Amino acid sequence: MSLTKSFDYSLPENHILKRENLSPKIKAALLGDPREGWSSHSNFDGYASFWLRIHNNLRGGSDYLVKGFQRLLDEAGSNLDEAVNTARLKEVGANVVSFAHHHHEIEDHNYFPRFVQLYPNVEHAISLLDSDHRVLEEALDETERALSYLQNQTADRDAIARAFNGCQALQAVLARHLWDEEEIIVPILLARF
């Protein structure tokens, strides 16, 4: 999906690594429906609730990875390979990375272009999400590299620390992106699907 020419993602109010919430300009273009009323909306049990479940699964997987690698770093045990395998961190990590890549691919190629067609006023908001996906892809790729190192090498403290740092960075990017994406997309889903 191409970005609109007048949208500058590098501005602090737009970039996922710099923004603390959606800018007033983006918020002004969104459909109503504040978050606290979503679950009581008549269309909530359709796509909106499905979308939120996907996001909650991504958050849960990311949290599991960060907590799991943190526990391993805090342990004084000598058999880190066994601890990594017992915690299923490599498997969970591979699933989170794959699931996030697939989810964002579907959004970029199917949902986002359609939402802009239906609601042209959200074009900047969709451009923001599309740009977020590029940063998120880098975080996913970095996490995948750290996890693959654990699969190819003996798990030592350095490898676990690298995986922990990658998962922490991914968790931060996911948290900001998923929250903002919900603010933008869920009202569309409630109104239309």
Side-chain angles (χ1 to χ4, degrees):
M1 185 175 170
S2 63
L3 299 174
T4 58
K5 290 182 176 127
S6 62
F7 182 76
D8 186 355
Y9 187 70
S10 68
L11 294 173
E13 65 265 18
N14 292 331
H15 200 285
I16 194 167
L17 299 177
K18 300 172 189 169
R19 72 177 187 259
E20 293 182 20
N21 50 40
L22 293 173
S23 71
K25 182 179 179 180
I26 296 281
K27 283 183 179 181
L30 303 181
L31 280 65
D33 294 317
R35 186 178 284 267
E36 47 282 349
W38 291 350
S39 63
S40 61
H41 193 282
S42 61
N43 288 341
F44 180 75
D45 289 333
Y47 281 105
S49 116
F50 175 70
W51 201 283
L52 292 171
R53 275 194 311 272
I54 289 171
H55 283 191
N56 286 335
N57 287 338
L58 286 168
R59 284 183 186 102
S62 175
D63 292 347
Y64 181 88
L65 291 171
V66 169
K67 289 174 185 171
F69 283 115
Q70 180 65 63
R71 275 192 303 275
L72 289 178
L73 287 172
D74 292 343
E75 281 184 14
S78 60
N79 194 345
L80 293 174
D81 279 332
E82 184 178 327
V84 168
N85 289 330
T86 300
R88 297 181 40 243
L89 295 170
K90 293 184 277 191
E91 178 186 337
V92 170
N95 287 338
V96 168
V97 168
S98 174
F99 189 68
H101 278 306
H102 183 66
H103 175 63
H104 294 133
E105 199 173 292
I106 290 170
E107 289 174 337
D108 290 342
H109 297 295
N110 298 312
Y111 286 106
F112 290 174
R114 173 146 170 140
F115 295 158
V116 170
Q117 284 179 335
L118 293 170
Y119 300 100
N121 57 312
V122 300
E123 186 175 10
H124 283 273
I126 297 296
S127 292
L128 177 98
L129 297 177
D130 185 53
S131 296
D132 281 358
H133 284 177
R134 294 168 197 209
V135 176
L136 186 53
E137 292 299 315
E138 291 173 17
L140 289 165
D141 291 346
E142 181 58 35
T143 300
E144 190 171 38
R145 277 190 292 279
L147 292 168
S148 72
Y149 185 80
L150 281 175
Q151 291 172 351
N152 297 330
Q153 304 292 327
T154 300
D156 61 20
R157 292 225 175 268
D158 289 341
I160 290 170
R162 196 171 337 174
F164 172 69
N165 291 335
C167 291
Q168 246 187 339
L170 176 62
Q171 182 185 45
V173 172
L174 266 176
R176 174 80 274 143
H177 171 71
L178 295 176
W179 181 271
D180 292 346
E181 184 175 283
E182 291 164 5
E183 294 286 308
I184 294 165
I185 299 301
V186 170
I188 294 172
L189 296 172
L190 292 173
R192 198 73 187 199
F193 299 93

